[in-house]
Amino acid sequence: MKFKVLITASGLGSRLGNLTRNSNKALVRVGDYAVLTHIIENYSNDTHFVITLGHFGSLVKQYIEICHPDLKVSFIQVDNYKGEGSSLLFSILKAKSLLKEPFVFHVSDAITDVKFNNLTSNYIAGFEKGDTSIYSSYNIDGKNVTSMFKKGEINPDFIHIGVVFIFNYKEFWETATEIYNDNKELSSLNDVSVINKMIQDGIEFKHQKTKNWFDIGSVKGLINARKSFIPKILKDVLDKEDENIYYYNNYIVKFFSNEKITQNRIKRASLISYVVPSIKLSSKNFYSYKLEKGNLYSKSANISNFEKFLNFFDEKLWIDKIHNDSELELLCKEFYLEKTSKRISDFLNRNKLNDEENVINGIKVPKVSELLKLIPESFFSDNIKTKIHGDFILDNCIYQDNKFKMIDWRQDFSGELEFGDLYYDLSKLAHNIVVNHEIIEKDLYYYNNKNNNIDVDILCKKRLIDCEKILFSWAKEKAFSLKKIEILRALIWINMSPLHHQPFDSFLFYFGKYNLFKSLNEKN
């Protein structure tokens, strides 16, 4: 039989902390795609979904439009999804008018493979193990559920996973309405009170056991789920508060909480379309493009192909070069100097440090503010105005059959969409050869601080060291300033420091400070 599926995606998802500060918990990535897709994939293609919207509801709707454009779905806006009078039961009741027939109720933070087929009775899906201090539960007698419990029950038969088939929908809505009207002020109202009352009134609910259930509504549950759903495509992606990336149905989907970033990235994709994928679908906060075939170039860059890589983008991306542009000089000062000063303050404040002289790798290094003053004016005027990628790193390049395609381009260069400083792309590349995703993931760096005597070091693969030599040789042949590349690379490391975890943030700051000092003191 066919039935609708109600997904309540209106809640705050507060148990996930920062992950739901700028998004909805149904959009948290598990494996390659969002929890919401895991739920949708559990039902047949012709299923009609009813989804309640509340906390960042517009993002849930956009995600469906981008990832599941052909989905049969009705959205219900929940006006009161937090504070007094809000509850799970309130959200459920908002969907009443669309569910005057048998339906499945599926909470938005449960991944399970339980199936309800050929049903002529009510069913509750349960799991044998779980912490009853945070989950509702129930007991059974044979195949029938005898009673349901709120959180805290000792030794129940099964954990209630939040997936229910409601056959007696009329009785469900009557009971739900009655309970809500009598207890409107309770934020704890949910489906359990309704089902338990129905059972007491003699309406039968059968039990259906599931062997696979993952609750992603908490950090612990999310970690557990991610151990079972290993990404096939997005293997090196890290969680960020304000952006996310998904893979579904052969497409990459990018999300940014900042609408301006999304729109600027879409515009820039059209400006550098010859080196980045074409956008398929887009919305205020999302865009998608077809997965590029090939491997990350960071895995295969070597002395036999690296110069081809540089020449390819020199011919296809860094074209119509204009040297020493006065308009770009102002942007460089803002992007390289003002942005760096702010990031330095962010790092020092976060770690409750003062800007002071340090001994780094045995060398006395002045305050970082003093180092910034030593950067010559020519550093900003010696620029090359051209189209740039903006995050030009090996980890953002797809390589196959001696062909290159860049992904994850930057949205602007200090607010400018159409051009930037070629040196920024070259310096990002130089940075990534030394500090890359593999290094971060495997903690292949060294940081030690004893009484302000600091040691920093990092492991580099020989093939990447060879690529670094080729990069600087190629740049010298093209008459680019090697000193500017080295200074800017050091500034990039300093800029990155407040964006990462301890102790990697400290490594980046002092590694950048050390290399900035060395670069400023090197002869041209």
Side-chain angles (χ1 to χ4, degrees), residues 209-345:
K209 178 181 176 180
T210 179
K211 293 182 180 179
N212 295 298
W213 165 57
F214 301 93
D215 166 36
I216 63 85
S218 66
V219 173
K220 182 178 179 181
L222 177 59
I223 292 171
N224 185 44
R226 285 178 169 173
K227 289 178 182 178
S228 296
F229 294 93
I230 306 299
K232 295 180 180 179
I233 303 298
L234 308 176
K235 299 177 182 178
D236 301 318
V237 176
L238 303 175
D239 278 325
K240 296 181 180 180
E241 286 186 23
D242 53 359
E243 64 181 85
N244 215 330
I245 181 171
Y246 312 93
Y247 167 74
Y248 182 68
N249 200 24
N250 207 33
Y251 280 88
I252 296 294
V253 177
K254 291 284 293 185
F255 159 73
F256 297 91
S257 63
N258 187 323
E259 294 178 11
K260 186 176 180 180
I261 291 178
T262 309
Q263 298 310 308
N264 285 351
R265 286 209 173 196
I266 293 168
K267 290 176 183 177
R268 292 209 67 240
S270 66
L271 295 172
I272 56 174
S273 58
Y274 27 82
V275 295
V276 299
S278 298
I279 301 295
K280 182 198 178 190
L281 295 174
S282 64
S283 62
K284 288 182 178 180
N285 299 88
F286 293 82
Y287 62 81
S288 67
Y289 57 83
K290 197 166 186 178
L291 178 71
E292 291 292 330
K293 294 182 180 179
N295 299 308
L296 286 179
Y297 187 50
S298 56
K299 307 293 184 184
S300 50
N302 57 45
I303 56 174
S304 67
N305 56 41
F306 193 70
E307 191 166 350
K308 293 178 184 177
F309 166 77
L310 294 170
N311 288 330
F312 176 86
F313 289 101
D314 193 41
E315 296 170 5
K316 300 291 185 180
L317 176 61
W318 306 317
I319 53 179
D320 302 324
K321 303 179 185 72
I322 299 175
H323 290 257
N324 308 324
D325 183 84
S326 58
E327 180 184 9
L328 183 57
E329 180 180 351
L330 295 175
L331 295 179
C332 287
K333 285 182 178 179
E334 180 181 314
F335 196 55
Y336 298 154
L337 194 57
E338 293 178 20
K339 178 184 172 185
T340 301
S341 297
K342 182 182 182 306
R343 290 284 179 86
I344 290 170
S345 295

Side-chain angles (χ1 to χ4, degrees), residues 8-12 20 22-27 36 51-65 75-78 81 255 285-286:
T8 46
S10 40
L12 297 176
T20 52
N22 298 300
S23 187
N24 185 282
K25 67 179 176 181
L27 302 183
L36 190 54
I51 301 177
T52 64
L53 304 177
H55 182 66
F56 289 107
S58 66
L59 301 184
V60 174
K61 189 174 182 180
Q62 289 179 58
Y63 177 84
I64 293 293
E65 291 169 349
F75 294 105
I76 300 293
Q77 187 64 46
V78 178
Y81 59 87
F255 159 73
N285 299 88
F286 293 82

